[in-house]
Amino acid sequence: MVFSSIIFLFCFLPVTLGIYFLLGRRGQNAWLLLASLVFYAWGEVFYVAVMLASIAANYAVGVLIAAFRGGRWARLILGIGIAADLAILVFFKYSAFLAENLSFLMSPILGRTAAGIDPGHLPLGISFFTFQSMSYIIDVYRGAAPAQRNPLNIGLYIALFPQLIAGPIVRYHDLARQIVSRRVRLPDFAAGVERFVFGLGKKVLIANNAGAIADPIFAVSSGDLTAPVAWLGIVCYTIQIYFDFSGYSDMAIGLGRMFGFRFLENFNYPYIARSMRGFWRRWHISLSTWFRDYLYIPLGGSRKGPLRTYANLATVFFLVGLWHGASWNFVVWGLFHGTFLVLERLGLGFLLERCWRPIRHGYVLAVVMSGWVFFRAETLSGALGYFEAMMGLTAGDVFRYPLEAYLDRQAWGVVLCGAVFATPVFPAVRAWMQRLGESVGGVAGVMSRCAAGALENAAFVLLLAGSILYLAAGSYNPFIYFRF
């Protein structure tokens, strides 16, 4: 089950909310855990057992770490817990990838290529809930949060459905108190509904329509693509992935507010960044800060000299890429970003600070869009072929795949909306209207504030209605997180 589905919007969510508020505080966590397991089992069925096993194992590890706190046994138990979490992730996500590459390396010795392993089914959200499980036991070991004695509460932390299959990655120490005690006030609930609808609109009306353009273009052989069509494809994918990822994060944050949880922000208009370092402070913030706090800093961060810093960055971004999928494309994507972060530390960042601001924005967009080619293409050879098409080095079939076949009036609207709403124009307009209402006194001020509120409510209703109509029509609605 996904947020952008009719069954979720008109059945699962209303029932879950209704029963949640009818129950007392003692029953709310148990009900929310049950609802979360049903939400996950709706699409995964048997693989919910994997999550339950992860919950049980990490609960036991947390209790044992607390019992042996400060001693060698605590560190050993932590190591066993992390190894168990990673073993689940490797088995389901990376076993076929590792076997394929081992077979390739051994083929000169064996004289033939060994039989591969069927990749099998990848449980949805396994990368997200595995990282959250590790966050829990690491936070308990560090003393950043107490061990959870109630297994239902640790189960709720790991399985909480708003951020279960698409993030953001919530660290245990950020949520520990909220799991035990929280309140839902009407303004918070209203803000949660607004945030959810805003995210739904981003996902359904912008990301899905951008994907409906990008996906057919990437399905064409790169040798048949002309440069304009190839560029349109990567521009639309750049729009799709941001509005899809950030839209789901907005929906998750909004759902959390409805149930009394406050999740940290996960995206902060990354495409307006003026350096790659700034981009990663704005893009998938929960993932980048997870790697920073649990890997980069423990490796030494930037405290042990330049060479060690560059090696740490390379290690982190190698794993960031691998986290996204069992493919060399993702590894290359991660190292591609890591390389530019190293270059900025070597002096490129100093030069960028002295450049005209549009040039700095253009640099970030060029690097990010180039990286998305590796991220979107199915293979490395496919990515390289797509780069050739972008540079006009392929023959291109202008009659079979003309630009006009993809760039119609609707496509222009999607690209324009994507370009506008990828910037903080909406918060800026809202702040401007608020300042305008406050600056005008008397009856005129009251009327201006009422008009602003009415306009905002009308936009909210239109966004919700448009999203529902789009979904009810059975329009293109891909779920791109199945790879993660």
Side-chain angles (χ1 to χ4, degrees):
M1 192 184 306
V2 295
F3 302 153
S4 55
S5 65
I6 296 297
I7 187 70
F8 177 83
L9 293 172
F10 291 99
C11 183
F12 180 85
L13 183 57
V15 170
T16 303
L17 282 168
I19 296 177
Y20 179 84
F21 287 114
L22 287 175
L23 294 172
R25 289 188 182 181
R26 291 184 177 180
Q28 287 180 336
N29 279 1
W31 166 247
L32 202 49
L33 174 58
L34 177 62
S36 297
L37 294 175
V38 170
F39 174 86
Y40 191 74
W42 187 271
E44 292 301 286
V45 190
F46 301 110
Y47 291 95
V48 74
V50 176
M51 178 182 294
L52 291 172
S54 176
I55 291 170
N58 284 281
Y59 168 75
V61 168
V63 171
L64 289 172
I65 289 174
F68 293 97
R69 185 177 304 282
R72 291 183 303 171
W73 284 104
R75 178 174 293 185
L76 177 61
I77 294 167
L78 173 66
I80 293 172
I82 292 175
D85 286 329
L86 291 177
I88 293 174
L89 187 61
V90 169
F91 177 79
F92 284 102
K93 190 170 183 176
Y94 300 105
S95 55
F97 175 70
L98 293 172
E100 179 185 353
N101 285 277
L102 181 61
S103 172
F104 176 79
L105 293 173
M106 294 297 292
S107 58
I109 300 173
L110 299 175
R112 60 185 176 83
T113 302
I117 296 178
D118 183 1
H121 178 76
L122 178 64
L124 286 175
I126 190 169
S127 296
F128 292 99
F129 71 73
T130 300
F131 269 36
Q132 292 197 178
S133 300
M134 288 193 290
S135 166
Y136 167 67
I137 58 177
I138 293 171
D139 284 350
V140 171
Y141 175 79
R142 290 177 173 179
Q148 183 55 252
R149 301 293 178 177
N150 186 337
L152 291 179
N153 288 346
I154 189 61
L156 179 60
Y157 163 69
I158 293 175
L160 188 59
F161 80 87
Q163 42 73 58
L164 176 58
I165 61 174
I169 301 170
V170 180
R171 267 92 68 83
Y172 180 68
H173 66 260
D174 292 327
L175 220 60
R177 290 184 179 179
Q178 299 178 51
I179 290 173
V180 177
S181 176
R182 62 189 179 278
R183 293 181 62 186
V184 182
R185 297 178 175 86
L186 184 59
D188 290 330
F189 186 87
V193 172
E194 181 182 274
R195 186 68 178 269
F196 178 85
V197 171
F198 186 59
L200 181 67
K202 288 168 71 175
K203 156 65 180 167
V204 170
L205 300 179
I206 298 181
N208 286 356
N209 281 294
I213 302 167
D215 290 349
I217 292 175
F218 273 90
V220 176
S221 172
S222 56
D224 293 330
L225 289 176
T226 60
V229 173
W231 274 102
L232 176 63
I234 196 58
V235 166
C236 287
Y237 184 69
T238 300
I239 293 170
Q240 179 194 11
I241 195 166
Y242 167 65
F243 283 94
D244 203 302
F245 275 34
S246 67
Y248 259 103
S249 290
D250 286 339
M251 286 188 276
I253 292 169
L255 286 169
R257 290 286 291 274
M258 293 183 211
F259 291 99
F261 294 97
R262 287 183 175 268
F263 302 150
L264 298 179
E265 293 295 332
N266 204 27
F267 289 86
N268 184 23
Y269 300 101
Y271 291 159
I272 68 169
R274 297 193 291 272
S275 68
M276 292 308 298
R277 194 173 183 179
F279 174 83
W280 277 100
R281 288 173 177 167
R282 295 171 174 269
W283 176 271
H284 210 330
I285 301 168
S286 64
L287 178 66
S288 56
T289 54
W290 196 100
F291 273 101
R292 181 197 66 196
D293 295 342
Y294 295 123
L295 184 61
Y296 179 70
I297 292 176
L299 285 174
S302 57
R303 305 186 307 272
K304 298 187 177 182
L307 292 179
R308 182 67 176 272
T309 299
Y310 306 149
N312 291 342
L313 283 171
T315 301
V316 166
F317 275 88
F318 171 84
L319 294 174
V320 166
L322 197 60
W323 179 88
H324 281 88
S327 165
W328 285 111
N329 280 47
F330 292 113
V331 172
V332 171
W333 171 79
L335 291 175
F336 180 78
H337 277 262
T339 298
F340 278 92
L341 289 173
V342 170
L343 290 174
E344 288 182 5
R345 286 179 176 269
L346 287 171
L348 179 59
F350 178 80
L351 295 175
L352 285 171
E353 290 177 359
R354 282 150 180 78
C355 289
W356 187 34
R357 183 174 292 183
I359 292 177
R360 297 166 67 184
H361 286 302
Y363 151 77
V364 170
L365 288 176
V367 173
V368 170
M369 289 172 65
S370 298
W372 288 143
V373 174
F374 291 109
F375 201 91
R376 176 60 181 81
E378 298 295 332
T379 62
L380 281 176
S381 60
L384 296 176
Y386 201 90
F387 277 118
E388 291 180 353
M390 290 169 64
M391 293 184 288
L393 301 179
T394 56
D397 193 336
V398 70
F399 298 105
R400 190 177 178 187
Y401 303 107
L403 180 64
E404 295 77 17
Y406 303 97
L407 192 58
D408 55 13
R409 188 174 299 176
Q410 181 177 343
W412 274 111
V414 170
V415 172
L416 181 61
C417 287
V420 171
F421 291 109
T423 66
V425 61
F426 182 75
V429 170
R430 172 183 274 183
W432 175 78
M433 293 176 69
Q434 184 176 357
R435 289 195 303 270
L436 181 63
E438 292 173 352
S439 64
V440 179
V443 178
V446 173
M447 292 181 62
S448 65
R449 288 191 291 271
C450 289
L455 185 62
E456 190 172 324
N457 290 334
F460 172 85
V461 171
L462 287 174
L463 189 60
L464 178 60
S467 300
I468 292 172
L469 288 172
Y470 182 95
L471 294 173
S475 302
Y476 191 62
N477 187 29
F479 183 73
I480 64 178
Y481 296 93
F482 74 94
R483 304 176 79 181
F484 311 136

